[in-house]
Amino acid sequence: MGNFRKVIASFSMVAILSSFVVTTTAFAAYSDVPAGHFAHDAVQQLEDDGVLTPADTFRPDDSVVRAEVAKMLVLQAGLEGDALCSASFEDCIADEWYDTYLGTAHQNSIFRGNDDGMMLPGVNINRADLLVVLHRLHGGGSDYMGSDYFPDVPASSYYDEASGWGYCNNIVGGYADGNYGPGDSATRAQTAVMIVRSYSDLGLRSECTDSGTPDDGTVVSSGDLTVSVSDSTPTGRTIPSGASSVEMATWDFEAGSDDAVVKSLTFHQYGV
């Protein structure tokens, strides 16, 4: 009887160990994102968070399309909504896997579509647009401009502020040649890393100052600056025939110190 009990105990232990093995192998790391890969920790984090579905491979160097990014952001941020992409954009197909994700991302003003009224769900997202949607996801606004740090980011471009935010907050670092590559298609690995970093408090880069200007020796101090519409602003007018421009508004600046200098005044209007 004693031997019989030992056999049962041994059999039960084997069954428990077998169950344990089956359970843990279901969450094994992707074979093409091994330990030491720059995206390994980020990919594992997104899998743990339920953003990525476990699979044999991740294809880290493949491009990622706009619909895939929308799904990742909606799941990671826990965004809620009841809109469908197909209800607002003719290039979104009803009941496709991305319909709800892109609809929710649009409803939350993360993705907005282009000037032609298209959402372009199957188009590869580039590095500029990826930072723009991440920037919106985290509330927008930044004291930093990417054009101050990357030679290939034009000043006042639609992604200037987002790329400055991403760089100074250690979300992106650019290429070895100093460029950001805004028009390059974002890879799946880059996307995973940028999403996870955007949720991590990595601190401010040393070359970015609290004032939002490059650390080039410029002295910035706090103070009051009042901006108001001048009394000399025209009241409504049309552009005369043959004129290339016409004065539409005049602004008055009043600083609390004679040392204040206003370098520029820029108005931005952004689309998607």
Side-chain angles (χ1 to χ4, degrees), residues 45-211:
Q45 182 64 56
L46 292 179
E47 183 183 328
D48 292 344
D49 292 344
V51 176
L52 298 177
T53 302
D56 292 334
T57 60
F58 179 68
R59 309 187 314 279
D61 297 325
D62 284 4
S63 299
V64 58
V65 300
R66 289 165 58 87
E68 291 171 329
V69 174
K71 178 181 178 180
M72 294 171 74
L73 297 187
V74 167
L75 292 177
Q76 182 68 16
L79 298 179
E80 297 181 351
D82 55 7
L84 296 175
C85 183
S86 57
S88 301
F89 298 93
E90 61 182 62
D91 62 337
C92 286
I93 301 174
D95 299 325
E96 278 289 332
W97 65 267
Y98 59 76
D99 200 8
T100 299
Y101 294 118
L102 267 173
T104 299
H106 177 250
Q107 188 174 3
N108 285 272
S109 298
I110 309 303
F111 280 78
R112 299 174 185 169
N114 66 11
D115 293 337
D116 296 326
M118 301 292 183
M119 181 55 77
L120 309 174
V123 173
N124 292 341
I125 196 167
N126 62 34
R127 286 164 58 85
D129 288 346
L130 180 55
L131 267 182
V132 168
V133 295
L134 276 173
H135 188 218
R136 290 174 183 161
L137 180 68
H138 290 281
S142 175
D143 293 328
Y144 313 102
M145 296 296 158
S147 55
D148 289 329
Y149 306 97
F150 297 112
D152 61 343
V153 174
S156 301
S157 58
Y158 74 92
Y159 53 88
D160 192 6
E161 184 177 284
S163 57
W165 165 81
Y167 178 74
C168 284
N169 286 284
N170 283 290
I171 297 168
V172 296
Y175 296 136
D177 62 1
N179 289 321
Y180 176 62
D184 295 349
S185 293
T187 67
R188 290 167 59 84
Q190 292 169 349
T191 301
V193 169
M194 290 167 65
I195 291 174
V196 170
R197 285 181 179 174
S198 74
Y199 279 93
S200 306
D201 185 7
L202 301 176
L204 199 65
R205 288 184 183 273
S206 59
E207 61 268 41
C208 302
T209 66
D210 290 337
S211 64

